[in-house]
Amino acid sequence: MTQRIAPWFGAWLGLLAVPMFVAAAPRASSHFDRSSDTAAVSISHRADWRTDVGAYAKRLLDAGFFPGMQIAVTRGDKVVYAASFGMADSRSGRKVDNRTRFYIASTTKALTATAVMREVARGAMRLDAPITDYLHGLRFKPPLQADTVTIRSLLSMTDGLGACMPVVFRTAFSGVFTQAQLMRLMRDCGRSKAGHAFVYRNFPYNLLGMALAPGVNHGWKAVVRADVLKPLGMRETTARVSTLRGEQIAMPHEADGHGFRRIRLAKADANLHAAGGYFTTARDLAKFVAVNAADGRLDGRRIFPAGMIASMHVEHARQDRDFGPYHRFGWGYGWDLGTYAGHILVHRFGAFAGYRSHVSFMPDTGIGVVVLTNGVGVPYAADEMADYIYDRLGAPRKQARAEHDAQFRLLQQRKAKFDRALRAHQRVQRSRDAHPLPHPLRAYAGRYVNPLLGTMRWAESGDHLDVSIGEARSKAGIYDAARNALRVELTGGGEVVHFHFADHARFANSLTYHGYRFDRVKPSATR
């Protein structure tokens, strides 16, 4: 069984008429008043709030909390501020500007949900239709019946499905799949142990992406573009990273205990998926925030039918957990519902190796914030940037400054602890790497196949092994030499792979990864 390394890293590392939308909502909330743009709080017309936001952003970067960052602020249906800070690429010294694209990971779910609701508004999809109406022939592991899973239950993540790791791994990491292949893999996906309670995961939104364009590999990308991005004029947002030049991308970085180091961009067209699939800019994503805060209006124009967007911010499922400074009490469609400083906060964050996104708005004030970073030097620093903006715009200036001076000092303390832990982990890994494996590297190299996850390739590279499975790639380190156990980072966090040898065998005959057995293909070919 695969072991996970340092779980605290992993923590860093969810055309109908208006009355029909409202009636469909399980629990309405009186907090969500969007009767007009005048509901938004009055932001000071003095330039000092913008100056203060920029100064605080620079303070966070100078403290080593991020390598680079973009910020945008919205009021009602308008984007009122956008700025960029720091490095897009520490190797070249290239700086972030307002056109630099960041990967937003799970923030994508809000975009996918919006496309689904747009199709519902047009009558092309029905919330209470079974998923089998769109994915014909879909079957899950008995006794779970696919026709009991509805579009509504997938949007609210109350579908009763398990995590279905093979589908999630192929869509989010390896990128090796076709829609037909995913349909076959789902025959081994069964019930969730939590029943129909809300469980946050990627799989429901992978299914929704498939339902948007049945039978078309990556077809959801064209639907979201037509239904959401194009109407909003989001020209800097793409699910096809191949359309971007390297100098247009904020390259991913990871903290190393001394600063940041550039890491490999692990996203390609193949593994940009409906639960985590976009590169964008803060100012472009802010248009999406503004249209959500204003129930379908942007810059005075109605983009989406009245009530459609608001129906996504209703509590469709309960949750009760904390994320940094926020308490999450519910889930809408593609959005978390939580509280901050006495306000409802509708939000959808994202995290992936080398990236962090914070996207949120307060329905009662009409203020929204986007924070995008290409690395994290301390947990929750991106959220602190957003919190400062909310407090600077909603509280007296001196009060906001005092509160966030204290938060800044707390983050500095956490960063020092975080850096010490990183350095300690590196010392442990160097010690492990000093112990030789029981067999030469060529005994481990080769191709290993699992029918659910695909083909894993191991290759000698100087004094170590490299591993790849589609777009997922990693250098391998030693975890436990005596047990033929190697440490990899195929999914962004540490994982352990165990190789298996028959008695007196020269080559490994199989390996175990995440509890899945991979059998070696033609070991004689590596001699």
Side-chain angles (χ1 to χ4, degrees):
M1 182 176 179
T2 296
Q3 295 165 272
R4 298 290 300 186
I5 307 298
W8 60 276
F9 280 106
W12 275 100
L13 292 181
L15 183 57
L16 290 186
V18 176
M20 295 181 69
F21 275 108
V22 175
R27 288 182 292 273
S29 171
S30 61
H31 296 284
F32 294 68
D33 179 10
R34 302 180 182 79
S35 56
S36 73
D37 285 349
T38 60
V41 298
S42 176
I43 296 179
S44 170
H45 292 291
R46 296 173 300 167
D48 57 1
W49 76 264
R50 293 176 173 85
T51 301
D52 289 350
V53 167
Y56 198 65
K58 189 174 185 303
R59 185 181 184 188
L60 296 182
L61 262 81
D62 289 346
F65 294 167
F66 323 105
M69 175 169 60
Q70 283 182 344
I71 299 170
V73 181
T74 66
R75 175 186 181 271
D77 66 354
K78 293 176 173 54
V79 180
V80 296
Y81 175 81
S84 301
F85 309 87
M87 289 291 176
D89 186 346
S90 61
R91 289 182 188 169
S92 66
R94 176 169 54 89
K95 295 185 181 298
V96 177
D97 62 36
N98 283 353
R99 298 166 297 177
T100 306
R101 272 63 160 198
F102 289 71
Y103 177 57
I104 61 170
S106 287
T107 298
T108 297
K109 291 181 177 69
L111 292 162
T112 299
T114 305
V116 171
M117 293 302 288
R118 191 70 185 95
E119 293 298 303
V120 170
R122 288 197 179 105
M125 297 180 79
R126 293 184 299 112
L127 284 174
D128 292 315
I131 187 65
T132 49
D133 278 9
Y134 310 100
L135 300 178
H136 303 302
L138 176 64
R139 287 187 289 163
F140 298 123
K141 186 176 182 179
L144 182 60
Q145 297 298 311
D147 59 7
T148 66
V149 177
T150 65
I151 297 300
R152 186 192 301 276
S153 69
L154 292 168
L155 283 167
S156 62
M157 298 205 194
T158 57
D159 44 80
L161 296 168
C164 200
M165 182 189 169
V167 169
V168 172
F169 182 82
R170 286 177 178 268
T171 53
F173 300 106
S174 75
V176 180
F177 66 89
T178 63
Q179 216 181 88
Q181 191 174 29
L182 296 180
M183 295 271 284
R184 290 193 296 272
L185 290 171
M186 289 180 205
R187 296 174 186 175
D188 285 322
C189 298
R191 287 176 171 171
S192 166
K193 293 180 180 178
H196 288 276
F198 170 82
V199 179
Y200 179 84
R201 61 220 188 280
N202 279 353
F203 185 38
Y205 279 67
N206 295 142
L207 276 168
L208 289 169
M210 293 170 64
L212 285 172
V216 182
N217 296 333
H218 298 285
W220 64 271
K221 297 180 181 182
V223 178
V224 176
R225 173 159 292 281
D227 282 356
V228 183
L229 305 184
K230 188 173 180 180
L232 292 175
M234 294 176 65
R235 298 180 182 86
E236 296 175 336
T237 302
T238 183
R240 303 186 189 279
V241 68
S242 62
T243 64
L244 301 176
R245 301 185 305 277
E247 60 268 24
Q248 293 179 292
I249 300 171
M251 291 300 177
H253 294 72
E254 71 175 10
D256 62 6
H258 305 281
F260 289 97
R261 71 178 185 91
R262 241 297 290 278
I263 60 175
R264 186 182 74 88
L265 179 63
K267 283 296 176 180
D269 290 359
N271 62 2
L272 290 172
H273 56 107
Y278 282 98
F279 283 79
T280 187
T281 63
R283 67 184 183 184
D284 220 33
L285 195 53
K287 298 175 185 178
F288 182 65
V289 174
V291 86
N292 273 269
D295 188 25
R297 299 182 68 87
L298 179 67
D299 291 329
R301 296 183 300 113
R302 175 152 297 286
I303 306 297
F304 300 118
M308 186 198 94
I309 292 293
S311 72
M312 299 173 62
H313 309 148
V314 172
E315 182 186 333
H316 293 285
R318 292 188 183 278
Q319 55 176 320
D320 183 12
R321 57 189 178 130
D322 293 327
F323 184 94
Y326 316 115
H327 177 70
R328 290 175 170 171
F329 65 83
W331 174 264
Y333 289 156
W335 293 93
D336 286 288
L337 309 178
T339 56
Y340 172 72
H343 297 272
I344 299 294
L345 190 75
V346 180
H347 59 283
R348 183 83 293 272
F349 303 158
F352 191 76
Y355 293 102
R356 174 73 159 82
S357 58
H358 173 117
V359 176
S360 65
F361 68 94
M362 291 180 173
D364 63 338
T365 69
I367 302 300
V369 177
V370 176
V371 179
L372 307 180
T373 77
N374 60 338
V376 176
V378 60
Y380 307 119
D383 307 306
E384 166 58 16
M385 183 69 246
D387 295 347
Y388 175 82
I389 294 170
Y390 283 120
D391 291 340
R392 175 63 184 85
L393 297 179
R397 186 182 190 189
K398 289 184 178 179
Q399 179 183 335
R401 179 180 296 173
E403 289 177 356
H404 288 278
D405 280 347
Q407 287 299 317
F408 180 82
R409 290 191 294 271
L410 180 59
L411 282 175
Q412 285 182 307
Q413 295 168 11
R414 289 176 176 168
K415 184 179 186 301
K417 183 178 180 180
F418 192 64
D419 287 345
R420 287 194 297 271
L422 285 168
R423 292 191 293 267
H425 172 74
Q426 292 163 0
R427 288 193 295 271
V428 169
Q429 189 57 52
R430 286 194 295 270
S431 175
R432 288 172 176 165
D433 287 340
H435 292 80
L437 291 164
H439 306 273
L441 295 183
R442 67 176 180 276
Y444 304 87
R447 290 191 302 129
Y448 297 79
V449 175
N450 175 273
L452 298 179
L453 296 189
T455 300
M456 189 178 289
R457 291 174 170 81
W458 290 77
E460 295 181 68
S461 181
D463 61 353
H464 67 275
L465 291 162
D466 287 333
V467 57
S468 66
I469 180 166
E471 295 295 340
R473 303 169 198 168
S474 174
K475 175 182 176 180
I478 306 296
Y479 181 73
D480 187 336
R483 297 173 59 203
N484 293 299
L486 298 178
R487 182 187 186 277
V488 300
E489 294 186 1
L490 290 172
T491 60
E495 305 155 312
V496 175
V497 176
H498 290 274
F499 284 84
H500 309 294
F501 290 78
D503 290 345
H504 310 298
R506 295 174 57 193
F507 296 92
N509 57 30
S510 63
L511 62 83
T512 304
Y513 171 72
H514 272 287
Y516 291 86
R517 178 188 172 99
F518 287 70
D519 291 311
R520 189 173 187 165
V521 177
K522 298 180 180 179
S524 60
T526 63
R527 294 175 187 252

